[in-house]
Amino acid sequence: MQTDLPAIADEYGVLIDGTERAASSGEVLTVHDPATGKPLTTVASGTEADVNEAVDVAQDGFETWHGYTPARRCEILNDVARAIRDEKDRLARIETLENGKPLSEAVGQVERCARHFEYYGGLADKIEGESIPLDDGHVDYTVREPLGVTGHIVPWNVPAYLFARSVAPALAAGNAAVVKPAEETPIGALELTKLLHENGVPPAAVNVVPGEGVSAGAALSGHPDIGSVTFTGSSATGREVGKAAIENLTEPHLELGGKSPLVVYDDADLDVAVDETIKGIFATNSGQVCSASSRVIVQNEIRDAYLDKLVSAVEGLSIGPGIDDHDVGPLVSATHLDTVAEYLEVGREEVGEPLTGGAVLDREGYYVEPTVFADVPQDARLLQEEVFGPVLTVSTFDDEAEAIRRSNDVDYGLVAGVITTDMGRAHRFARDVDAGQIYVNEWFAGGNETPFGGFKDSGIGRENGTQAVHNYTQLKNVCLNISK
């Protein structure tokens, strides 16, 4: 039973300068509960006029926020982290209602959101330059300065965490922010921003304009007065965002799609291999994660043993509303369910019937069974294209060279993983695979502190860690002639 649900307002607005109001067009979006398909609330659908107002306000917010000492920004961002933890259960329930993911997963993602504000709160007074030795007649040094107003286009799959992943370092560096949340999941961004305002961030320094990508998103990515735009989403949309940004010489930071391999060698612990496969593709947001382990490449000698264990484990997963904390929740929307269903048919045409799963469930909400296709050819669409759902391809390899070749033979390069007890082999895998992050014997290893981003069609730039501050600062060099 879905009980003890958080209070969600009957309607939400754009949030500009701390005031929530209707969109300038008067249009609204309806937010649905993916577990039932029923409406949750309506949210103002902002357009270019609202984005323009938000950017103008944020320029004033930048002057205020940047005027705070770095130590004061540290204090405020840590206060924000504590406030998020205090509200963790409420925010997690909102995320589950908007997105559909299991409640325990949402709780973990809100904790990661808090941790981001804590991490960058600790970094705000440590954004330092360098001195450069020239000669006795000169002193040369660098400083890192904020960009001013930064744009943030946040996706629907991990909304609280990905809100914080870019907004927190931007604020730590002294910038103001304009946020465009996904149409499917705008409530969490609005609630998080209200917490920021309540805990010391000037209202004008963080503004939220919900709306459709073709209007609000396009207006933000192409706005001439923002210093950077951060986008997480599909590679196709990311290209459009990048083009719009570059037209204004605005720096784009793009974390895009993935088709990430998990290579399982014949010396692997099969229980570990199966557990990490399940975590990587089925039990994390129903596979709706760009870094999902969506294709396994298993050594021929252990193919049958691995698949036997995997299918048994997959068939033991519970499917149902995320608010009841099932292993696998619904997909985010009816539209996305249709997309995944189309890929299931593509898989049947290319490979045949899956070993398990493959059905769209006949019930209210947007549910598809966790699905495993075996012996998938390297050139199959199902293996090459990002499905973004609980659909796994399994293929095989004979030797190390083939494992590397198959791992690299896609357009994406976000993450990759390997299960092996041979650390020499693991290091060679890390050296030779074209991906921005490598996992060894554990999927989703690392954390907020570890740089994350992709090669090839998986994007430009890095999020997380100290590296992310570079996204939201510009480097200035100062050279003084001290001989005169």
Side-chain angles (χ1 to χ4, degrees):
M1 296 292 294
Q2 297 188 44
T3 58
D4 299 321
L5 302 184
I8 290 180
D10 292 335
E11 59 182 14
Y12 288 85
V14 298
L15 184 57
I16 299 176
D17 202 9
T19 299
E20 199 168 357
R21 61 157 177 79
S24 58
S25 67
E27 297 295 321
V28 298
L29 301 167
T30 300
V31 180
H32 293 84
D33 180 352
T36 65
K38 296 177 181 177
L40 284 172
T41 187
T42 61
V43 179
S45 184
T47 60
E48 183 177 3
D50 302 295
V51 169
N52 291 343
E53 181 183 350
V55 172
D56 288 344
V57 166
Q59 289 174 327
D60 292 335
F62 165 67
E63 295 299 329
T64 302
W65 179 243
H66 183 233
Y68 291 5
T69 65
R72 178 63 178 141
R73 294 201 295 271
C74 285
E75 182 180 355
I76 290 172
L77 293 179
N78 276 284
D79 286 344
V80 167
R82 284 188 286 272
I84 292 170
R85 289 195 174 101
D86 288 344
E87 296 284 335
K88 181 164 61 177
D89 290 342
R90 180 177 70 90
L91 293 170
R93 285 179 173 270
I94 289 171
E95 179 148 326
T96 288
L97 286 173
E98 289 190 287
N99 169 275
K101 69 181 59 177
L103 184 58
S104 59
E105 182 183 340
V107 169
Q109 294 300 334
V110 174
E111 170 57 34
R112 290 193 73 185
C113 170
R115 173 62 183 142
H116 257 303
F117 282 100
E118 182 178 67
Y119 179 86
Y120 290 104
L123 195 62
D125 60 352
K126 302 170 186 68
I127 301 172
E128 300 171 343
E130 300 175 317
S131 62
I132 300 171
L134 294 177
D135 53 49
D136 290 343
H138 295 86
V139 171
D140 193 278
Y141 62 91
T142 64
V143 292
R144 285 203 166 270
E145 298 181 343
L147 299 171
V149 178
T150 55
H152 307 259
I153 302 175
V154 180
W156 50 258
N157 61 331
V158 199
Y161 164 59
L162 293 178
F163 173 98
R165 191 176 73 176
S166 63
V167 172
L171 290 176
N175 299 283
V178 176
V179 180
K180 206 296 282 185
E183 297 96 309
E184 297 85 352
T185 57
I187 303 171
L190 291 162
E191 296 289 354
L192 281 166
T193 301
K194 291 172 187 176
L195 280 182
L196 266 64
H197 296 165
E198 291 166 6
N199 286 275
V201 176
V206 182
N207 303 271
V208 182
V209 183
E212 296 184 351
V214 295
S215 53
L220 184 58
S221 58
H223 200 289
D225 293 331
I226 59 171
S228 73
V229 60
T230 300
F231 170 83
T232 301
S234 72
S235 298
T237 305
R239 283 188 170 87
E240 295 304 312
V241 170
K243 288 176 185 176
I246 289 298
E247 283 293 319
N248 295 308
L249 299 182
T250 299
E251 186 174 3
H253 309 289
L254 309 174
E255 197 256 280
L256 307 177
K259 194 68 178 180
S260 300
L262 174 59
V263 171
V264 181
Y265 277 98
D266 59 5
D267 64 344
D269 182 320
L270 286 184
D271 290 331
V272 170
V274 168
D275 286 348
E276 296 306 314
T277 303
I278 295 289
K279 180 174 71 174
I281 183 64
F282 299 124
T284 301
N285 202 20
S286 301
Q288 299 169 113
V289 185
C290 54
S291 54
S293 57
S294 53
R295 57 189 178 109
V296 165
I297 310 170
V298 61
Q299 198 152 20
N300 270 310
E301 287 81 352
I302 58 168
R303 172 201 178 276
D304 293 346
Y306 168 79
L307 285 174
D308 286 346
K309 279 183 175 287
L310 177 67
V311 168
S312 177
V314 170
E315 292 178 348
L317 297 173
S318 66
I319 307 171
I323 206 74
D324 296 330
D325 212 27
H326 286 275
D327 298 318
V328 180
L331 301 184
V332 72
S333 68
T335 300
H336 192 54
L337 179 66
D338 289 343
T339 298
V340 174
E342 288 177 11
Y343 273 108
L344 293 176
E345 292 311 306
V346 168
R348 287 185 169 94
E349 292 169 4
E350 293 181 319
V351 182
E353 284 298 311
L355 293 183
T356 188
V360 173
L361 298 185
D362 185 15
R363 57 189 290 186
E364 66 176 11
Y366 314 128
Y367 296 92
V368 63
E369 290 179 320
T371 301
V372 178
F373 285 93
D375 303 319
V376 181
Q378 188 70 25
D379 62 353
R381 282 184 60 199
L382 194 68
L383 186 148
Q384 291 287 328
E385 297 177 11
E386 185 177 42
V387 177
F388 220 65
V391 180
L392 175 69
T393 69
V394 178
S395 53
T396 58
F397 70 95
D398 288 319
D399 56 25
E400 192 170 321
E402 185 179 8
I404 299 297
R405 185 171 63 253
R406 284 183 175 271
S407 295
N408 286 334
D409 188 19
V410 296
D411 291 335
Y412 297 103
L414 191 56
V415 302
V418 60
I419 309 291
T420 181
T421 57
D422 184 336
M423 288 302 101
R425 175 186 285 159
H427 280 292
R428 290 191 296 274
F429 180 87
R431 179 194 65 197
D432 295 336
V433 171
D434 298 328
Q437 191 167 47
I438 305 295
Y439 303 138
V440 178
N441 292 329
E442 178 184 358
W443 201 263
F444 297 130
N448 296 38
E449 302 85 358
T450 54
F452 181 80
F455 293 3
K456 301 189 288 188
D457 282 4
S458 290
I460 298 171
R462 293 295 179 269
E463 302 286 348
N464 288 351
T466 59
Q467 180 70 28
V469 170
H470 295 175
N471 295 348
Y472 307 107
T473 57
Q474 51 195 344
L475 191 67
K476 177 181 287 183
N477 180 260
V478 180
C479 187
L480 292 81
N481 185 333
I482 59 173
S483 66
K484 296 181 180 179

